[in-house]
Amino acid sequence: MKENLSTVDPMAKQYDIDDLYKGIISGDRARLSRAITLVESKKKEHQILASALLKRCMPHTGKSRRVGISGSPGVGKSTFIEHLGKMIVENDQQLAILAIDPSSQVTKGSILGDKTRMQELSRHANVFIRPSPAGETLGGIARRTRESMLLCEAAGFDYTIIETVGVGQSEITVRHLVDFFILLLLPGAGDDLQGIKKGIVEIADLILINKADGDQIDVAHKTVGFYSSAVHLLRAREDQWTVPVKKCSGLTGDGLDKVIATLDHYFMDFSTAIGKRRQHQSQYWFESGLSDALKDHFFSIDGVAQKYKRLLNEVAQGRTNAFDAVDELMQSLLDKNS
Amino acid sequence: MKENLSTVDPMAKQYDIDDLYKGIISGDRARLSRAITLVESKKKEHQILASALLKRCMPHTGKSRRVGISGSPGVGKSTFIEHLGKMIVENDQQLAILAIDPSSQVTKGSILGDKTRMQELSRHANVFIRPSPAGETLGGIARRTRESMLLCEAAGFDYTIIETVGVGQSEITVRHLVDFFILLLLPGAGDDLQGIKKGIVEIADLILINKADGDQIDVAHKTVGFYSSAVHLLRAREDQWTVPVKKCSGLTGDGLDKVIATLDHYFMDFSTAIGKRRQHQSQYWFESGLSDALKDHFFSIDGVAQKYKRLLNEVAQGRTNAFDAVDELMQSLLDKNS
């Protein structure tokens, strides 16, 4: 992506912050895209520029509906997003789609990277699609995606959809980024309680049994009943939101009007809850970012990493009490500073 | 407690580590008690001694069955533990009972502090009861309790029961300390899904509907059915343990033989799972202890606490991006070291 940009525009690497800022807030897609490339860069000088740019953009952020969509491979996420996305843009709203894909470390982005996916949607003037940043840890991807989302908001997008594959930790990460989390499941509950196993149902705001078309409609109906009782058993939310369980088809579009209606209902009637959630999320990223940064800094001290490995081993084997091991490790910091 | 000890024994405050160590491994209750007082002390010189003592005791630890018991106030925890405890000691086993009570900061220990509770049990020669350490945060209490548990194990106890009131975070903390977690609930599920709300059911290894006596037996039976299906929906444990849901009465003792049988079954047939869990727990306390220590150290730097407060506020209000706030705060560390 970066290589591409620099070929197209020889100025791309200079990153004129003022120009990027003005471009973003006037909704210029090329500059938004370049700004995201800047945010994703690991070069120290780029990070300083990215931070300055974000600072300027902050007053213009927060206005999009942040929606997370997750589901196992094969659940039909892209067809679903293609269909739902079209309904959103036909409603004259601008839609940004970002991906969080931890496997992108290896595959350089298996979701949203494929140009054949969401073909129609990707050509639409009101849609901006960005694949998962590559070569990052999940924490790194989350940070970049959060910052990209803020830039998209500054560029005036009404909706930000963050897509992730349902493989475990990434859904939890997305949950910390969005206002509303949609879980896609397949018809058929039976032995394999998809999602429930991983506690994913507990973080969903809407559960959709997708591919409820053709001869799957009856099975899908049963699956809806099954998850409805599971949700009924589990949830007692502070914000009084009752998690709907519905069937739909990303292929035929059946039930998608209800999805839009549910989103409208939530975003219009639960703004206090959304505001609270966003505050918690910001504080969460601040706290967890601080913990990570302190650890990174600590482990950059000579000898700490080796000492840590030895102690972790001793602790696991029960030879050293965990808290004494902490005290011993912390001695490295005191020694360094004295 | 401390005052008492020093009145009884003027040597108590000198803490002869060699004497305490020998006393503990020979099962001397007075020295065990004094050692726990040492572990609970916040004085720097005491903490160094406590650490040395624990280091010596470590090879003798790990041999007790670590059992957590939790439930809301009024569920009948102490009557239950009194009855179960008597069955354990009648089996010629030694039982230590420790409490984790976060409210002890205010009340100086509302559970196990009351001398009228567990009257018979507390007089038994094979029982050692210790109230929650006072004047500590939940994290502090957890550390002291974990260390006290290790000392009890070195003193030869066969069972360690850690009791906590079901008020939220404390159950999660206890879960990280024990091999087996028992959740007590009252008969009657109805609208108020006790426990399920807080996700507590998910951390239980055994769910007991207590007070299943008199005219409550039928209701209790229904409650058992209700939680059985909830558990069936939820759990798919790595260790293949199926969480039993049973009714019992701490008052009449009905069903307690089955509780003992369940414990025997788990501790005899799931030793590999227990070993794994203990390894994870040790590593958990090491990792979380390290995070806490790094934060404590960081916040002891001049100006960091104020800067943190300001930035947390800015982040919550959306004026500063969370990650930039982290970078700004971390600058304090770099400034200090340069």
Side-chain angles (χ1 to χ4, degrees), chain B residues 241-258:
Chain B
W241 175 255
T242 312
V243 177
V245 181
K246 294 188 194 302
K247 57 184 195 297
C248 72
S249 167
L251 191 66
T252 65
D254 282 352
L256 291 197
D257 49 341
K258 281 185 193 148

Side-chain angles (χ1 to χ4, degrees), chain A residues 113-238:
Chain A
D114 184 351
K115 296 279 176 202
T116 60
R117 295 178 60 235
M118 305 186 201
Q119 272 196 314
E120 272 190 71
L121 198 60
S122 61
R123 280 194 299 263
H124 199 288
N126 279 350
V127 174
F128 178 82
I129 299 185
R130 185 82 182 194
S132 189
E136 282 270 19
T137 60
L138 180 57
I141 295 175
R143 171 178 184 156
R144 306 307 157 206
T145 305
R146 186 168 158 93
E147 293 178 337
S148 300
M149 176 180 76
L150 294 171
L151 293 177
C152 289
E153 289 186 338
F157 283 88
D158 306 290
Y159 260 97
T160 315
I161 287 181
I162 301 183
E163 177 191 3
T164 194
V165 251
V167 289
Q169 194 52 36
S170 55
E171 296 97 319
I172 311 287
T173 303
V174 170
R175 190 68 198 80
H176 286 298
L177 291 169
V178 299
D179 303 319
F180 195 88
F181 185 79
I182 300 178
L183 176 64
L184 294 184
L185 296 169
L186 287 173
D191 290 334
D192 176 33
L193 309 184
Q194 333 153 41
I196 282 213
K197 271 185 190 164
K198 289 180 274 171
I200 295 308
V201 164
E202 305 216 11
I203 62 167
D205 299 299
L206 169 62
I207 294 174
L208 291 176
I209 313 303
N210 193 28
K211 300 196 177 175
D213 41 47
D215 52 11
Q216 291 290 293
I217 293 183
D218 282 351
V219 185
H221 188 72
K222 273 183 206 150
T223 312
V224 166
F226 178 81
Y227 281 96
S228 296
S229 32
V231 161
H232 181 76
L233 271 176
L234 281 173
R235 309 292 298 205
R237 288 174 45 148
E238 218 183 293

Side-chain angles (χ1 to χ4, degrees), chain A residues 7 91 99 134 147 152 167 184 189 206 224 252 255 260 264 275 284 297:
Chain A
T7 322
N91 231 337
E147 293 178 337
C152 289
V167 289
L184 294 184
L206 169 62
V224 166
T252 66
I260 296 280
D264 285 343
Y284 167 85
H297 180 266

Side-chain angles (χ1 to χ4, degrees), chain A residues 13-315:
Chain A
K13 291 211 166 167
Q14 295 194 8
Y15 294 118
D16 176 341
I17 292 306
D18 196 57
D19 175 64
L20 285 178
Y21 168 72
K22 284 177 185 154
I24 288 169
I25 60 162
S26 70
D28 177 340
R29 298 299 163 83
R31 285 188 176 75
L32 171 63
S33 187
R34 206 184 307 157
I36 293 180
T37 303
L38 177 64
V39 154
E40 287 176 359
S41 168
K42 286 180 169 171
K43 288 189 185 152
K44 189 72 200 156
E45 67 268 29
H46 289 169
Q47 287 177 356
I48 292 165
L49 289 174
S51 169
L53 178 62
L54 272 163
K55 197 107 195 160
R56 284 190 72 177
C57 289
M58 283 308 283
H60 306 281
T61 64
K63 276 168 245 153
S64 87
R65 294 179 169 187
R66 304 169 178 174
V67 177
I69 296 180
S70 181
S72 307
V75 78
K77 274 189 303 300
S78 43
T79 311
F80 174 83
I81 295 176
E82 167 107 24
H83 218 124
L84 189 77
K86 271 193 275 178
M87 292 171 76
I88 289 171
V89 294
E90 276 162 15
N91 231 337
D92 247 356
Q93 293 186 294
Q94 294 194 69
L95 169 66
I97 306 177
L98 309 173
I100 286 200
D101 181 4
S103 69
S104 66
Q105 285 171 272
V106 183
T107 61
K108 307 281 172 202
S110 67
I111 58 173
L112 289 181
D114 184 351
K115 296 279 176 202
T116 60
R117 295 178 60 235
M118 305 186 201
Q119 272 196 314
E120 272 190 71
L121 198 60
S122 61
R123 280 194 299 263
H124 199 288
N126 279 350
V127 174
F128 178 82
I129 299 185
R130 185 82 182 194
S132 189
E136 282 270 19
T137 60
L138 180 57
I141 295 175
R143 171 178 184 156
R144 306 307 157 206
T145 305
R146 186 168 158 93
E147 293 178 337
S148 300
M149 176 180 76
L150 294 171
L151 293 177
C152 289
E153 289 186 338
F157 283 88
D158 306 290
Y159 260 97
T160 315
I161 287 181
I162 301 183
E163 177 191 3
T164 194
V165 251
V167 289
Q169 194 52 36
S170 55
E171 296 97 319
I172 311 287
T173 303
V174 170
R175 190 68 198 80
H176 286 298
L177 291 169
V178 299
D179 303 319
F180 195 88
F181 185 79
I182 300 178
L183 176 64
L184 294 184
L185 296 169
L186 287 173
D191 290 334
D192 176 33
L193 309 184
Q194 333 153 41
I196 282 213
K197 271 185 190 164
K198 289 180 274 171
I200 295 308
V201 164
E202 305 216 11
I203 62 167
D205 299 299
L206 169 62
I207 294 174
L208 291 176
I209 313 303
N210 193 28
K211 300 196 177 175
D213 41 47
D215 52 11
Q216 291 290 293
I217 293 183
D218 282 351
V219 185
H221 188 72
K222 273 183 206 150
T223 312
V224 166
F226 178 81
Y227 281 96
S228 296
S229 32
V231 161
H232 181 76
L233 271 176
L234 281 173
R235 309 292 298 205
R237 288 174 45 148
E238 218 183 293
D239 63 3
Q240 308 299 321
W241 175 256
T242 311
V243 177
V245 181
K246 293 188 195 301
K247 57 184 195 296
C248 72
S249 167
L251 191 68
T252 66
D254 281 352
L256 291 197
D257 50 340
K258 281 185 193 148
V259 174
I260 296 280
T262 302
L263 287 168
D264 285 343
H265 170 41
Y266 187 77
F267 281 100
M268 287 189 292
D269 301 336
F270 284 75
S271 55
T272 311
I274 292 168
K276 258 195 202 171
R277 187 181 273 192
R278 285 186 177 188
Q279 274 205 2
H280 288 153
Q281 287 173 342
S282 295
Q283 290 174 341
Y284 167 85
W285 291 110
F286 181 45
E287 299 279 1
S288 70
L290 182 60
S291 277
D292 291 349
L294 287 172
K295 266 197 184 155
D296 286 351
H297 180 266
F298 184 57
F299 278 89
S300 73
I301 299 173
D302 259 359
V304 164
Q306 294 94 305
K307 215 174 180 181
Y308 170 83
K309 264 192 199 162
R310 173 177 59 77
L311 287 166
L312 190 65
N313 199 21
E314 285 183 24
V315 161

